[in-house]
Amino acid sequence: MARGKLRIYLGAAPGVGKTYAMLSEAHRRVERGTDCVVAFVEHHNRPRTEVMLHGLEQIPRKELEYRGTVFTEMDVDAVLARRPEVALVDELPHTNIPGSRNIKRWQDVEELLAAGIDVITTVNIQHLESLGDVVESITGVRQQETVPDEVVRRADQIELVDMSPQALRRRMAHGNIYKPDKVDAALSNYFRPGNLTALRELALLWVADRVDEYLTEYRSEHRVSKIWGSRERIVVGLTGGPEGRTLIRRAARLAEKGAGGEVLAVYIARSDGLTSASPKELAVQRTLVEDLGGTFHHVIGEDIPTALLDFARGVNATQIVLGVSRRKGWQYVFGPGVGATVARESGPDLDVHLITHDEAGKGRGLPVARSARLGRSRVIWGWLVGVGGPALMTLLLTSVTPSVGLANDMLLFLTLTVAAALLGGLYPALASAVVGSLLLNWFFTPPVHTLTIADPKNIVAIAIFVGVAVSVASVVDLAARRTHQAARLRAESEILSVLAGSVLRGETSLEALLERVRETFGMESVALLERDSDVDPWTCAGSVGPRPCQSPENADVDMPVGDHMALALSGRVLPAEDRRVLAAFAAQAAVVLDRQRLQSQADQSRALAEGNRIRTALLAAVSHDLRTPLAGIKAAVSSLRSEDVAWSEEDQAELLEGIEEGADRLDNLVGNLLDMSRLQTGTVTPLIREIDLDEVVPMALGGVPEDSVELDIPETLPMVAVDPGLLERSVANLVENAVKYSPAEERVLVSASAMADRVEVRVVDRGPGVPDAGKDRIFEPFQRYGDAPRGAGVGLGLAVARGFAEAMRGTLTAEDTPGGGLTMVLTLPAAPGAHPIRPDLPATATS
């Protein structure tokens, strides 16, 4: 039975229209005569989505009771019994109610697909398992319901349902997604414009990567070697020389000219490892290309031009950037160089840029060593020289030149043997020694044209010739093998140095390390597998490449890491000598995995510790600072309600004034607590607009006594780009804090001035001041300085003020007041435009 096809509608956030698009596709298929049913669709009381269900056959849901409540889930058995051609299954990451057939809904879908039923489903980008940490960092919400990436990647079709953040927020405000009582909370929390923009970009990038995978698979299956320029991919060929930085920057500029340009810097080490690359310079260039948004790749190749072109075609690159050769003019006699070779063999579909630089023509730092690995052409030439050379030499000595003597003849034949050893190694040299000795005996040793030797001295001479020839061939072959071993060790050391460098730089991405393994050894896919015990199944902790192995037994190469972990590679079988380097990569992969998990646990511990600290401080605040005004209010109210005492009008006014002051203090404390909670959860969304300071600052003085503050706001100040509400709250907290600590006879000065593209608001008091060591600590939540009375607040005013200032792209710092006291400096961005002129208002105001 053929497996069913899976189609997924992928969205960036709830409400973009995934379910609507799925139901629209179902109606189109029904109109074409396809047997299509609704296995499970949740319309969430959205009228337009609910209307789309009309006219579609719906499979009755299965009811399950859990903890006294009845829930409904998809009835997998009923769908399998119905056996439609296409089944609609909404919300793929959903977790089923305990007692269901499977734990997760995607497992239900797998059963339907295995039964040959096509499935159309929906999923949001935040529910992909690999993106959980990223989504949490964006939204502050950890998604509990997730689906493995591999399930989504195996889909036959993935269609992105896209909508701009502004349009989605309008849909939300119109009540098309959530009920009206939930709209405000949603718009100010999860559905903030910044969150939606980041999630949308995440979805677009994920789908783009998936499209790249589809394209790569298609080109591989159809053996398409020609490059398809779907987007600009620029490969930068690095040699480890100082010119690499120039090449990387030039490639980055080329990539910026086209939308979605990508830079891939690649360093190709020769297979013999004998290169003049500087590990330090390569580390600098790796950092540079990553800072510019590109990627760095380390590849080993037999032939550098061929390896570079193979890499470029493998990643579907459109351009190659190379530097002009550093070789001197006379060195071109050894060949045209890498740049010329790549340009000649690149073909019409791959552009090659040769970039000039300061190091061009200055020569290389070290001579380029000849490859110790004997290629096929060298072996052939070795055999031609070893076998054909003696024959040509015999013809030359017997028919063209006069006799030069047996000793000279032997030296000439010995020269051919040495040449054969240098070119082809041991066996061509041995063949040359045998053929040469036979030809010397037949043509040049009396009696000629016979294999007999009359003079015993000639016998000794030929024996010495054979011995010298064999010895020279053995020494040359041994030197070649030793050179090859040294070269391989050099290549391994380069790879290990790069690996060690990544450890020292603190790179903790498991996928990046596995990708480096795949590139280094030329594999199709690499996976890190683990299991809890010898009898448990293997699970994939991380993988790169298409179709990664699910168990070490199915891999072409497996490298155990401990008892219950293994690195599985597929693509080709590696020689035994490569396993030493592979073992180092495997050990590092295990370390990176442990580091990621420890980091995750540490982050959770820090979050819990911070939460405990906040809760402890909040309990302390509630237990004392909030109860104090409540106690005063309750005492005043009880006194007023008392029938035993006849209060005068003055006494009643005093008690009511106490109630009002207590209520104001409560309002201030609760407001600061709510503001701090908004800052802690990242839900402060400033609405920036241009406004004059003298419209906002006077309104912030309502909570302080009259004649306690002096304002100095010049009318020539430029307008500021701020959120008026947040600015008023920040200034109010600063002024209240300054008045609280200032002597009764001293007024707090609030002044403003313009500096370049910023406007500074300074709140100056003459209180006791704060030492330099405590100037940063006073902005922390629940902090009071010195012996401030407990009733003075919960220590949130300055923390809230700084948080709001930073939300408006401003800053808040503390400075010493000349002559004693503390000055709070609030710096705000100035709005572009002309300075306002208001002659009807005084330059300064006093309240």
Side-chain angles (χ1 to χ4, degrees):
M1 179 183 299
R3 179 181 173 87
K5 296 184 180 300
L6 177 62
R7 179 171 182 170
I8 295 179
Y9 285 93
L10 178 69
V16 296
K18 303 180 301 299
T19 305
Y20 191 93
M22 178 179 67
L23 294 174
S24 299
E25 175 65 18
H27 280 286
R28 286 192 291 270
R29 297 199 180 195
V30 169
E31 291 175 359
R32 295 196 298 264
T34 304
D35 183 14
C36 183
V37 302
V38 176
F40 188 96
V41 168
E42 187 63 66
H43 55 74
H44 297 289
N45 295 323
R46 298 170 186 169
R48 296 184 180 181
T49 305
E50 188 174 2
V51 168
M52 292 297 294
L53 286 170
H54 297 167
L56 297 176
E57 178 185 350
Q58 301 186 44
I59 302 294
R61 300 183 183 182
K62 185 177 183 180
E63 295 186 350
L64 295 171
E65 184 176 352
Y66 180 66
R67 294 183 177 179
T69 304
V70 177
F71 298 89
T72 60
E73 295 286 0
M74 180 176 66
D75 194 338
V76 180
D77 293 325
V79 179
L80 292 175
R82 172 65 174 74
R83 293 196 61 80
E85 294 182 46
V86 180
L88 307 185
V89 182
D90 205 5
E91 299 178 354
L92 184 64
H94 172 75
T95 301
N96 294 327
I97 296 299
S100 301
R101 183 188 185 99
N102 295 301
I103 298 177
K104 304 288 288 188
R105 184 166 292 164
W106 63 263
Q107 295 172 328
D108 297 338
V109 170
E110 287 293 321
E111 287 197 35
L112 300 182
L113 294 173
I117 301 174
D118 294 346
V119 175
I120 305 177
T121 185
T122 63
V123 65
N124 283 327
I125 192 68
Q126 64 264 29
H127 293 294
L128 292 181
E129 198 169 75
S130 66
L131 300 179
D133 294 339
V134 179
V135 173
E136 184 179 11
S137 66
I138 294 172
T139 64
V141 179
R142 183 69 180 188
Q143 298 294 334
Q144 301 300 323
E145 294 188 332
T146 60
V147 59
D149 287 47
E150 184 60 28
V151 174
V152 181
R153 290 183 180 276
R154 285 202 306 264
D156 299 277
Q157 297 182 58
I158 299 177
E159 184 171 333
L160 179 64
V161 182
D162 190 26
M163 179 177 289
S164 69
Q166 294 77 11
L168 183 57
R169 285 173 60 86
R170 282 197 299 271
R171 290 194 63 193
M172 176 74 67
H174 293 161
N176 295 332
I177 301 177
Y178 291 148
K179 294 181 179 179
D181 58 340
K182 297 182 179 180
V183 170
D184 290 340
L187 289 175
S188 60
N189 289 278
Y190 193 88
F191 286 83
R192 293 185 309 229
N195 286 1
L196 297 178
T197 302
L199 291 173
R200 186 190 188 196
E201 181 180 16
L202 200 62
L204 291 171
L205 291 175
W206 194 91
V207 173
D209 289 340
R210 183 58 181 145
V211 172
D212 282 345
E213 292 179 10
Y214 276 132
L215 182 60
T216 302
E217 291 177 5
Y218 180 86
R219 295 176 71 242
S220 175
E221 292 174 358
H222 293 77
R223 294 181 172 85
V224 178
S225 59
K226 184 178 180 180
I227 291 174
W228 291 352
S230 53
R231 64 171 174 171
E232 292 295 333
R233 284 190 177 90
I234 303 174
V235 172
V236 185
L238 302 178
T239 64
E243 76 281 359
R245 305 182 201 181
T246 302
L247 304 184
I248 292 172
R249 294 189 180 96
R250 183 65 62 86
R253 291 197 295 270
L254 289 174
E256 290 175 356
K257 295 179 180 179
E262 184 180 358
V263 176
L264 302 92
V266 56
Y267 169 66
I268 299 178
R270 291 183 183 271
S271 57
D272 57 13
L274 299 178
T275 65
S276 57
S278 168
K280 181 179 179 180
E281 182 64 29
L282 282 178
V284 172
Q285 293 173 14
R286 171 192 288 272
T287 303
L288 176 61
V289 71
E290 290 174 352
D291 290 343
L292 294 174
T295 56
F296 185 92
H297 306 266
H298 187 282
V299 178
I300 295 179
E302 298 287 344
D303 180 74
I304 289 181
T306 302
L308 182 60
L309 289 171
D310 290 343
F311 177 84
R313 293 191 175 102
V315 299
N316 201 30
T318 57
Q319 302 179 53
I320 295 179
V321 173
L322 298 174
V324 174
S325 178
R326 287 183 285 137
R327 296 191 299 176
K328 294 184 180 295
W330 61 268
Q331 292 178 312
Y332 282 94
V333 299
F334 298 107
V338 173
T341 304
V342 170
R344 184 181 65 248
E345 299 179 0
S346 61
D349 53 353
L350 189 58
D351 298 334
V352 179
H353 302 267
L354 290 179
I355 307 300
T356 59
H357 49 84
D358 295 338
E359 303 297 323
K362 293 184 178 180
R364 296 179 179 271
L366 293 174
V368 180
R370 296 182 64 189
S371 175
R373 186 189 297 269
L374 301 179
R376 182 178 180 183
S377 61
R378 284 190 56 180
V379 173
I380 293 174
W381 276 105
W383 281 102
L384 289 176
V385 172
V387 177
L392 293 176
M393 182 64 70
T394 301
L395 180 62
L396 180 64
L397 294 176
T398 56
S399 60
V400 178
T401 63
S403 177
V404 295
L406 182 59
N408 291 327
D409 293 337
M410 289 185 176
L411 290 176
L412 292 174
F413 277 87
L414 183 60
T415 302
L416 293 175
T417 302
V418 172
L422 291 174
L423 288 173
L426 178 62
Y427 295 109
L430 293 178
S432 178
V434 172
V435 173
S437 61
L438 291 176
L439 292 176
L440 284 171
N441 186 4
W442 185 269
F443 289 100
F444 303 102
T445 305
V448 297
H449 302 129
T450 64
L451 295 178
T452 58
I453 302 175
D455 190 349
K457 295 180 180 180
N458 293 336
I459 297 177
V460 175
I462 292 179
I464 293 174
F465 166 78
V466 174
V468 170
V470 172
S471 300
V472 169
S474 301
V475 170
V476 172
D477 181 72
L478 179 63
R481 284 189 284 112
R482 290 290 184 266
T483 303
H484 173 64
Q485 292 173 0
R488 181 167 188 83
L489 292 175
R490 172 66 180 274
E492 291 181 0
S493 67
E494 283 187 355
I495 296 173
L496 293 176
S497 68
V498 173
L499 180 61
S502 65
V503 175
L504 295 176
R505 287 191 300 272
E507 295 180 0
T508 57
S509 173
L510 180 62
E511 287 72 19
L513 180 63
L514 297 180
E515 181 64 27
R516 188 171 298 165
V517 174
R518 188 173 73 91
E519 291 176 351
T520 300
F521 297 99
M523 290 295 182
E524 292 182 0
S525 64
V526 180
L528 182 62
L529 308 176
E530 61 176 350
R531 59 182 178 180
D532 295 331
S533 65
D534 295 336
V535 297
D536 290 326
W538 291 95
T539 60
C540 182
S543 64
V544 294
R547 298 178 294 277
C549 299
Q550 300 301 318
S551 66
E553 293 78 11
N554 299 329
D556 294 320
V557 180
D558 68 285
M559 175 57 64
V561 188
D563 296 331
H564 303 126
M565 188 175 291
L567 194 64
L569 296 83
S570 62
R572 65 187 181 93
V573 178
L574 290 180
E577 55 191 0
D578 285 339
R579 295 183 67 86
R580 177 170 51 186
V581 177
L582 183 60
F585 274 107
Q588 177 62 14
V591 171
V592 168
L593 180 61
D594 290 340
R595 185 185 300 163
Q596 286 183 343
R597 291 173 175 173
L598 290 174
Q599 183 64 40
S600 176
Q601 294 175 3
D603 293 341
Q604 294 176 2
S605 299
R606 280 194 294 269
L608 290 175
E610 179 65 17
N612 288 333
R613 189 182 72 83
I614 296 294
R615 281 192 292 271
T616 302
L618 182 59
L619 287 174
V622 171
S623 64
H624 188 281
D625 297 292
L626 295 180
R627 291 179 63 184
T628 300
L630 280 175
I633 293 173
K634 187 178 187 305
V637 171
S638 299
S639 299
L640 289 173
R641 289 173 54 87
S642 175
E643 299 178 356
D644 300 335
V645 181
W647 302 102
S648 64
E649 293 183 0
E650 292 79 5
D651 293 335
Q652 292 181 1
E654 184 178 353
L655 290 173
L656 291 173
E657 183 180 358
I659 294 174
E660 184 177 9
E661 290 179 354
D664 290 340
R665 286 180 58 190
L666 274 179
D667 181 68
N668 185 44
L669 293 173
V670 172
N672 277 334
L673 287 172
L674 293 176
D675 290 340
M676 197 65 225
S677 68
R678 292 171 62 198
L679 290 171
Q680 291 287 340
T681 56
T683 57
V684 176
T685 305
L687 301 176
I688 304 297
R689 66 185 181 92
E690 299 180 4
I691 195 170
D692 290 326
L693 280 178
D694 53 12
E695 295 181 18
V696 178
V697 175
M699 299 174 60
L701 307 181
V704 296
E706 294 184 2
D707 298 328
S708 62
V709 178
E710 178 183 354
L711 287 181
D712 182 11
I713 310 294
E715 65 178 14
T716 57
L717 285 177
M719 302 178 75
V720 291
V722 297
D723 183 315
L726 297 185
L727 177 58
E728 179 184 346
R729 188 70 175 170
S730 298
V731 175
N733 284 354
L734 295 178
V735 172
E736 291 173 6
N737 184 78
V739 171
K740 178 171 56 180
Y741 286 101
S742 290
E745 66 279 3
E746 294 284 349
R747 289 194 297 180
V748 172
L749 173 63
V750 179
S751 63
S753 59
M755 296 180 61
D757 59 345
R758 315 288 287 179
V759 174
E760 283 189 354
V761 178
R762 307 177 76 86
V763 181
V764 184
D765 68 58
R766 295 293 179 178
V770 177
D772 292 339
K775 283 187 173 62
D776 286 333
R777 189 166 58 87
I778 61 176
F779 293 105
E780 296 178 3
F782 302 104
Q783 295 291 327
R784 296 183 182 87
Y785 176 71
D787 298 327
R790 292 292 301 177
V794 294
L796 287 176
L798 295 182
V800 169
R802 171 174 274 189
F804 284 172
E806 293 176 347
M808 297 182 292
R809 295 180 292 113
T811 60
L812 177 61
T813 56
E815 298 178 357
D816 292 328
T817 301
L822 189 67
T823 298
M824 293 292 179
V825 181
L826 177 61
T827 305
L828 303 169
H835 294 192
I837 299 176
R838 301 195 176 185
D840 56 322
L841 294 178
T844 61
T846 302
S847 66

